[in-house]
Amino acid sequence: MLNRAINSNFVLLAIHMDILIKNGNIITSEYSVVNDVYIHEGKIHSIGKNLKHSATTRIVDASGKFVFPGGVDPHVHMCLPTPAGPSSDDFRTGSIAALYGGTTTLIDFVTPVKGESLPNALEKRKREAENSLIDYSFHVSPIEWHSGTRNEISDCFSNGITSFKVYLAYRKTVGLCDADFLKVLRTVGELGGIVTAHCELGEEIERLRDYYFSVNKTEPLYHYLSRPAEMESDSVKKAIALAQEAGCSFYVVHVSTKKSLFHIEEAKKKGQQVYAETCPHYLLLNNPPITGSFASAAPYIISPPLREPCDNEALWHAINKNVVSTIGTDHCPFNMEQKRAGANDFRSIPNGAGSIEYRLPLLYTYGVLGKKISINKMVDIFSTMPAKIFGLFPQKGCIAIGSDADIVIWNPDGSHSISLLNQHQHCDINIYNGLSVSGHAEYIVKGGEIAVNNDILFSSISRGRFLKRNRPEL
Ligand code: URP
Ligand code: ZN
Ligand code: ZN
């Protein structure tokens, strides 16, 4: 069937039909093999040579190209509400950026307002996500504990939400105290789900932030000085101990420092179900221009902050040791005008930066070509492990018969520089501006439809679906 499709520049014909990908180098988390993949009705129908196809099958020659499973980004924030306004990508624009970067599934968050029930907040968030072009789910965040919270978590669980996110930072808004965190851990542990946490010592950080402000230290530099690495690693250590006590699987989001890795590795050695995520910016960026002008420092106001080159190295090493299992982007872009909300008070700068479209190019260029990780490990942290940990495997995260036909055909040739002019995220800040990346996604297939071909988006593709997730497959 032929559908009309438009992107901002062109009117195109999007082709919805069976697809035969021929001679691609299929890369999974475990092996690499040159083979053909046949896609029928949105699923991977068969893998092998001389596969039967009809006269209407779209044949894609992938000789010399890599064939990866579509990416699963386990940590994104579309239109995250903040006092400076929502993060600047909504589910539609953010999912388009995701597609260009080979990500075909995202997991965002449900953060209720005080007094709102978790299932209610979940339903509202589902409606906000309806215009996503890629499949989606959510981690639900209890931000307070009351007599109904247990049942609310259980309700969300019955609706396919098997992971719950707790903020141990941000104590003045959404952060939980340790006692309530433990209640969440016990409840989710009994259900067989997983709790994820933003680990930073919330109360100590708030105290430091307020202290700096009170002595007229208002510049972005004090964002950094109020969030030292030990405040992350001490929080990680404490959270791991509480998860152990509660018997709950635990996942530390956006690990930024070598000091945290030590505690995660120790717990894993003892057999505890603890997992860690890091982000491209903690692998690749360090020592940002925080003492310069507001405009040069504000783009890098991210929590936890960027660290040192030795932390970058330790994180790459931890990926190879399976201490870090996934890469999430923590995609949370804000425009400069929004960042300016904190021009006179660093505490009001909205935290976050966008990068949903760069996970794959950065991992490929600086991870695989940079000889930090193997190409199979790249697939593991980009797609397979996020799918396994968050109960989406094998529907997502692999190239296997019966899996969703979410596929990236990656052309390793050529390179280009990331720039505000060629980005797809909606933001006037790009923390990777000027960085060179190699290769590009020649085709992105999503649910059996060609969504992107050589930079052209087929915007008539079906919208993404809400994914009901299973318990973690660990
Ligand atoms: O700075 C960040 N990371 N902003 C997004 C919210 C969070 O803490 O993940
Ligand atoms: Zn966070
Ligand atoms: Zn986040």
Side-chain angles (χ1 to χ4, degrees):
M1 184 173 89
L2 297 179
N3 279 352
R4 279 170 65 81
I6 43 175
N7 79 346
S8 50
N9 302 315
F10 302 103
V11 176
L12 295 167
L13 293 174
I15 302 166
H16 297 183
M17 53 176 53
D18 288 6
I19 302 170
L20 176 60
I21 301 171
K22 284 185 76 71
N23 291 318
N25 189 0
I26 299 173
I27 311 291
T28 74
S29 59
E30 281 162 1
Y31 60 85
S32 311
V33 63
V34 174
N35 222 336
D36 301 347
V37 180
Y38 192 79
I39 295 168
H40 176 65
E41 292 184 350
K43 301 274 182 195
I44 296 177
H45 176 272
S46 38
I47 301 171
K49 289 290 179 200
N50 305 315
L51 301 174
K52 274 201 201 133
H53 60 277
S54 72
T56 58
T57 300
R58 168 82 182 259
I59 307 221
V60 174
D61 180 13
S63 311
K65 320 270 160 68
F66 294 115
V67 177
F68 304 135
V72 177
D73 193 333
H75 188 157
V76 309
H77 302 273
M78 304 305 174
C79 47
L80 174 80
T82 78
S87 54
S88 58
D89 263 324
D90 63 18
F91 280 90
R92 183 173 172 85
T93 61
S95 64
I96 288 172
L99 273 174
Y100 274 104
T103 288
T104 47
T105 301
L106 63 82
I107 313 182
D108 202 296
F109 298 87
V110 172
T111 315
V113 292
K114 288 236 155 74
E116 185 181 24
S117 83
L118 299 176
N120 203 51
L122 171 60
E123 285 314 308
K124 264 181 23 202
R125 194 73 173 142
K126 274 181 172 172
R127 286 196 291 279
E128 282 177 4
E130 273 171 3
N131 61 359
S132 173
L133 290 187
I134 66 175
D135 290 350
Y136 53 90
S137 180
F138 308 100
H139 311 281
V140 169
S141 283
I143 61 159
E144 57 196 340
W145 187 274
H146 55 74
S147 56
T149 308
R150 210 186 146 75
N151 284 343
E152 291 177 15
I153 289 178
S154 187
D155 255 28
C156 292
F157 212 90
S158 314
N159 281 300
I161 299 293
T162 54
S163 57
F164 294 81
K165 157 87 172 282
V166 166
Y167 293 92
L168 299 174
Y170 310 136
R171 282 302 307 282
K172 286 185 177 165
T173 51
V174 292
L176 281 190
C177 66
D178 290 346
D180 290 346
F181 174 41
L182 186 58
K183 290 175 195 153
V184 174
L185 285 165
R186 285 195 200 287
T187 307
V188 176
E190 279 166 23
L191 292 165
I194 186 163
V195 168
T196 81
H198 174 141
C199 292
E200 285 185 298
L201 294 179
E203 277 170 26
E204 285 79 346
I205 286 174
E206 294 300 342
R207 233 190 337 265
L208 259 182
R209 280 157 64 84
D210 291 345
Y211 165 73
Y212 282 127
F213 186 74
S214 74
V215 294
N216 216 18
K217 310 280 192 198
T218 60
E219 303 89 45
L221 168 66
Y222 296 96
H223 172 81
Y224 285 84
L225 297 183
S226 60
R227 308 187 97 93
E230 294 72 23
M231 291 212 183
E232 178 186 310
S233 58
D234 287 357
S235 174
V236 166
K237 182 178 179 198
K238 190 156 41 140
I240 287 174
L242 291 173
Q244 167 79 341
E245 185 182 329
C248 185
S249 300
F250 183 55
Y251 176 100
V252 189
V253 305
H254 54 40
V255 173
S256 70
T257 165
K258 182 176 179 173
K259 292 191 164 87
S260 297
L261 294 170
F262 171 78
H263 302 298
I264 295 158
E265 187 167 5
E266 286 299 294
K268 283 172 106 62
K269 275 190 202 150
K270 290 182 194 144
Q272 194 178 339
Q273 299 235 308
V274 172
Y275 302 89
E277 164 199 281
T278 192
C279 309
H281 43 273
Y282 299 124
L283 288 167
L284 298 172
L285 305 182
N286 52 63
N287 296 328
I290 46 172
T291 51
S293 66
F294 181 84
S296 63
Y300 302 95
I301 298 299
I302 300 170
S303 294
L306 301 179
R307 307 286 187 193
E308 310 290 322
C310 65
D311 295 298
N312 302 149
E313 282 312 307
L315 287 163
W316 283 116
H317 195 49
I319 292 172
N320 283 319
K321 288 200 292 181
N322 299 324
V323 173
V324 166
S325 303
T326 68
I327 306 296
T329 55
D330 198 4
H331 181 76
C332 194
F334 292 98
N335 286 309
M336 186 51 88
E337 197 47 41
Q338 295 178 286
K339 294 269 183 189
R340 283 200 192 285
N344 300 314
D345 179 354
F346 71 93
R347 298 173 303 173
S348 301
I349 304 172
N351 288 197
S355 64
I356 198 166
E357 68 198 278
Y358 302 124
R359 212 166 46 120
L360 180 55
L362 292 172
L363 285 173
Y364 179 73
T365 306
Y366 296 96
V368 177
L369 299 183
K371 303 211 180 309
K372 304 278 193 200
I373 54 172
S374 72
I375 197 160
N376 305 94
K377 179 49 104 177
M378 183 191 78
V379 166
D380 198 37
I381 56 180
F382 171 72
S383 178
T384 309
M385 279 308 280
K388 285 187 173 172
I389 292 173
F390 294 115
L392 290 168
F393 189 86
Q395 180 186 358
K396 307 289 185 187
C398 61
I399 295 189
I401 293 168
S403 295
D404 284 356
D406 295 342
I407 289 177
V408 179
I409 301 180
W410 185 257
N411 184 337
D413 296 337
S415 64
H416 67 278
S417 287
I418 292 173
S419 100
L420 284 165
L421 298 177
N422 60 24
Q423 69 176 13
H424 299 93
Q425 62 184 3
H426 265 211
C427 192
D428 59 10
I429 292 175
N430 189 324
I431 58 170
Y432 296 108
N433 198 26
L435 208 64
S436 173
V437 282
S438 300
H440 71 281
E442 194 161 303
Y443 286 91
I444 307 292
V445 179
K446 187 223 62 165
E449 295 174 277
I450 294 176
V452 174
N453 178 204
N454 276 331
D455 261 356
I456 305 296
L457 172 75
F458 291 80
S459 57
S460 70
I461 52 164
S462 315
R463 281 195 274 177
R465 300 158 301 164
F466 170 68
L467 298 168
K468 288 194 172 195
R469 294 186 281 118
N470 299 315
R471 290 185 170 83
E473 182 167 317
L474 304 168

